[in-house]
Amino acid sequence: MARKDRLKNRKELSRTRVSYASSERVAGESGVVIKDWGGRLPLAVAYPNSYYVGMSNLGLHTLYRLINNYPQYLAERFFWEGGAAKGRPTLSVESRRPFTDYVAVLFTLSYELDFLNIPSMLADCGMPLYARERDETFPLVIGGGACIMSNPAPAADFFDVFCIGEAEAILPELLPVLAETAGEPKGLVLERLAKIPGLYVPSVPPEKPVERVFPAELTQGAGTAVFSKATELGEMYLMEVERGCGHQCRFCLVAGVFCPLRYHPLELLLKQAEEGMLERKRIGLVGPVVSDHPQATELISRLRGMGVGLSISSLRIKPLPEKMLGELALSGVSSLAMAPEAGSERLRRIIRKGITEDDIIRAAALVAEKGFRQLKFYFMLGLPGETDEDIEEMIKLAEKAQQVMSAAGRGVRLSLNIAPFVPKPSTPFQWLGMEDAVLVKRRLDIIRLRLEGQGIEVRAESPEMSQIQAVLSRGDVSLSKLLAAAGGDSLACWKRAAKLLEVDSPSLAKTRFDLADKLPWHMLENPKQRQRLEAEYKAATKEI
Ligand code: SF4
């Protein structure tokens, strides 16, 4: 398409917003920022999943808040609108404009399967999918978030720039360059962006691995910026308590992409909570292991004193201070989630979970004693080295926890949330493949059969969708063709595209890399981190 036609197309797309104009969403929100477009650099903040899912994502709120804090920039939100919007441009929540009205589109990606929604979000706005086919008349497409920080390769053909790091560290460098270079030839803009620490520009390959950037301390707070009831956690004010994790379980991405471990200061959290309470009576404490915050018990106790209800995203089984559990119970928390991850001591050792069966049973007993109504255990299936005996041990462990809780006579319910193990880049298990989905499903059926009859609810993620997640998690740049051909986020779309392109998706998920292989995310491999991952991998595989 000629440049003139593209510009005409953009004008037509802009006009379509009139027919969609609706402020229903904004009317149901508070905290939304509506800025005058005059003299400001417009930026689209996009979440490639539904409004319901995306509005409970703190990364999106943080990006929106940080950009809008600057008077010279404006950020508006976009969500994937699914089948309802098929063929129509996705429009911003705030002003109902398409992507093509903005200088840049900043996608935040926390979950691999959301990659599947990016092609349709771009195409429906009349944007060529592939970065090389877009010139400066189109907005720059920029990606960030946990998936991008671990492996941007599967979507590298769609994006102009990737952010390898945290928004607080990247935006102060990125935004002024976007403002200065708006409208300049795209090649020159990308050359400039490639020089900024933490930015990876696929068309300007870096000479050495891109270093992840992050603030040394958390000083600004991170919480819900826009309140809406139409989202999963809409009844709460979400507040990040910490970032990173000190435990380094071998399967987990957190240590690889969010380290070092940093805590938000107690006084800042309390001040933030006061502001959040103006909107919500309940606060959700968010972090990889909230109970690890050195002042977690005091925080919970003081929040309780402020009369606020609490919810907590994660507790570690050990250490699990009894006093903190007591404070949580008094704060009205009724349900707790903990993650044994594996049923046997051997498997927990392989994954470096650092907890024993005694720790798990003690935690279950404490939960019952303190009067909580529900305990959720998170487990994984298909972990490296897993056998049928490990499944038997998982079942016995759940039964034992149930017995201990029943003995307390408080009627506390146990449920299991089971996810197939998906190997992730930037973890010691990055070289390993996913277990066969058929075997995972068979083991899942056994667990269900044995536990559901005993009143233990078993919820599980689909092994087949997890297999797609595994392909995307460690995939290379060739996957962009598959993503483009899929045209949707369902299993059927994926299977159809894989058949069309003759891609053996189950085999890709099971790929085992050699230590000598060049990994698809090699451009992000930090030598020091690589050394640690290799040492951990070798230690784990000795036991498999
Ligand atoms: S699984 Fe939990 S405890 Fe282990 S490294 Fe990840 S966040 Fe930390």
Side-chain angles (χ1 to χ4, degrees):
M1 197 190 291
R3 183 186 163 100
K4 207 174 96 198
D5 294 334
R6 280 202 294 272
L7 287 170
K8 184 167 162 258
N9 230 12
R10 280 182 57 172
K11 278 188 190 139
E12 274 162 14
L13 276 168
S14 282
R15 273 201 295 276
T16 63
R17 71 175 178 268
V18 177
S19 56
Y20 291 90
S22 153
S23 56
E24 273 169 42
R25 280 245 151 95
V26 170
E29 295 180 331
S30 61
V32 62
V33 180
I34 309 275
K35 285 187 177 177
D36 190 310
W37 275 53
R40 293 196 168 92
L41 191 79
L43 300 162
V45 171
Y47 194 87
N49 206 317
S50 65
Y51 180 93
Y52 180 80
V53 173
M55 280 296 286
S56 289
N57 180 284
L58 269 190
L60 176 91
H61 286 267
T62 301
L63 197 55
Y64 182 76
R65 177 178 51 82
L66 290 173
I67 297 174
N68 277 323
N69 277 349
Y70 293 97
Q72 67 272 40
Y73 310 122
L74 71 85
E76 298 194 344
R77 290 160 298 148
F78 286 75
F79 298 92
W80 174 71
E81 290 174 11
K86 203 142 187 77
R88 303 186 322 194
T90 309
L91 302 172
S92 75
V93 174
E94 284 79 2
S95 68
R96 311 304 288 158
R97 294 169 194 259
F99 281 156
T100 42
D101 281 9
Y102 298 76
V103 166
V105 181
L106 287 83
F107 276 99
T108 178
L109 277 131
S110 308
Y111 187 45
E112 291 87 354
L113 293 178
D114 289 347
F115 276 134
L116 287 158
N117 297 327
I118 289 174
S120 64
M121 285 181 82
L122 295 176
D124 291 346
C125 278
M127 290 174 61
L129 283 190
Y130 295 101
R132 61 179 174 274
E133 293 169 3
R134 298 189 300 261
D135 64 13
E136 56 278 5
T137 64
F138 292 100
L140 282 175
V141 180
I142 301 175
C147 290
I148 297 299
M149 285 194 269
S150 63
N151 179 19
D157 281 350
F158 305 139
F159 283 83
D160 298 298
V161 181
F162 289 114
C163 298
I164 310 301
E166 296 169 21
E168 292 90 341
I170 287 184
L171 292 178
E173 304 289 326
L174 169 67
L175 298 181
V177 177
L178 292 181
E180 281 166 34
T181 58
E184 285 186 13
K186 187 173 171 185
L188 295 180
V189 178
L190 293 178
E191 291 281 349
R192 266 197 75 181
L193 291 172
K195 294 194 175 92
I196 296 178
L199 292 192
Y200 165 49
V201 178
S203 61
V204 187
E207 284 165 17
K208 52 184 180 86
V210 180
E211 288 280 338
R212 189 166 53 86
V213 296
F214 48 84
E217 290 177 5
L218 302 178
T219 54
Q220 304 188 41
T224 305
V226 180
F227 293 86
S228 165
K229 293 262 167 79
T231 179
E232 193 181 356
L233 304 173
E235 297 296 332
M236 305 177 210
Y237 170 62
L238 300 176
M239 185 166 87
E240 186 187 54
V241 170
E242 67 194 347
R243 214 175 280 175
C245 180
H247 294 286
Q248 304 191 342
C249 305
R250 288 179 177 136
F251 59 87
C252 178
L253 190 58
V254 172
V257 299
F258 291 114
C259 67
L261 169 60
R262 289 147 295 160
Y263 303 110
H264 289 280
L266 176 69
E267 292 307 324
L268 185 67
L269 289 171
L270 292 168
K271 189 163 169 285
Q272 232 183 294
E274 264 174 31
E275 285 160 21
M277 282 173 68
L278 299 174
E279 294 287 346
R280 294 290 185 267
K281 293 191 168 50
R282 216 164 141 219
I283 291 185
L285 303 177
V286 179
V289 189
V290 172
S291 50
D292 274 1
H293 192 290
Q295 290 152 306
T297 305
E298 186 180 349
L299 172 67
I300 293 164
S301 164
R302 287 177 67 180
L303 288 174
R304 184 165 68 82
M306 288 160 66
V308 71
L310 284 182
S311 172
I312 189 160
S313 66
S314 53
L315 283 177
R316 209 176 137 85
I317 286 170
K318 182 187 167 189
L320 184 64
E322 192 174 343
K323 190 168 173 218
M324 184 175 60
L325 271 192
E327 287 292 341
L328 280 172
L330 291 170
S331 306
V333 174
S334 59
S335 172
L336 291 179
M338 298 179 187
E341 313 285 11
S344 69
E345 300 286 9
R346 185 186 69 91
L347 267 192
R348 284 192 296 272
R349 210 169 41 243
I350 289 175
I351 64 174
R352 204 176 187 265
K353 191 64 197 175
I355 51 170
T356 63
E357 180 171 321
D358 286 349
D359 299 327
I360 298 165
I361 297 303
R362 173 188 169 268
L366 269 179
V367 166
E369 186 191 313
K370 298 291 175 195
F372 293 95
R373 287 210 297 276
Q374 188 181 24
L375 175 61
K376 277 186 216 160
F377 272 165
Y378 285 92
F379 282 102
M380 282 186 286
L381 269 185
L383 281 164
E386 181 186 277
T387 64
D388 286 347
E389 284 81 63
D390 296 303
I391 304 309
E392 191 58 36
E393 291 207 42
M394 186 195 292
I395 292 167
K396 284 189 183 143
L397 180 64
E399 288 170 342
K400 199 166 169 187
Q402 166 95 326
Q403 281 160 14
V404 166
M405 293 198 295
S406 300
R410 302 277 191 97
V412 52
R413 292 191 317 276
L414 178 66
S415 65
L416 265 53
N417 282 44
I418 301 180
F421 162 67
V422 171
K424 304 272 180 163
S426 305
T427 71
F429 289 163
Q430 64 181 0
W431 289 278
L432 297 171
M434 185 184 166
E435 183 53 276
D436 186 86
V438 176
L439 179 64
V440 170
K441 191 166 177 317
R442 182 174 68 74
R443 289 181 173 159
L444 182 59
D445 289 343
I446 293 171
I447 296 167
R448 281 212 159 104
L449 191 73
R450 296 271 300 279
L451 293 181
E452 285 185 336
Q454 303 185 52
I456 300 174
E457 188 189 356
V458 178
R459 289 188 187 174
E461 287 176 26
S462 145
E464 280 186 300
M465 289 308 284
S466 299
Q467 199 175 59
I468 300 176
Q469 198 190 345
V471 172
L472 292 170
S473 161
R474 299 183 309 138
D476 64 20
V477 72
S478 68
L479 287 180
S480 58
K481 287 194 194 73
L482 189 55
L483 287 167
D489 67 341
S490 69
L491 183 60
C493 288
W494 178 268
K495 281 187 168 173
R496 200 169 41 239
K499 193 172 171 197
L500 185 76
L501 299 177
E502 298 180 355
V503 173
D504 183 352
S505 175
S507 296
L508 278 184
K510 285 190 254 177
T511 303
R512 185 169 179 152
F513 293 116
D514 276 340
L515 285 175
D517 287 342
K518 188 173 177 181
L519 299 170
W521 51 96
H522 62 91
M523 74 301 272
L524 308 183
E525 274 192 317
N526 161 318
K528 214 166 131 199
Q529 189 192 24
R530 159 89 192 203
Q531 225 176 18
R532 181 185 73 78
L533 297 182
E534 239 184 89
E536 287 291 324
Y537 169 75
K538 286 176 184 161
T541 45
K542 256 190 218 154
E543 290 209 55
I544 294 174

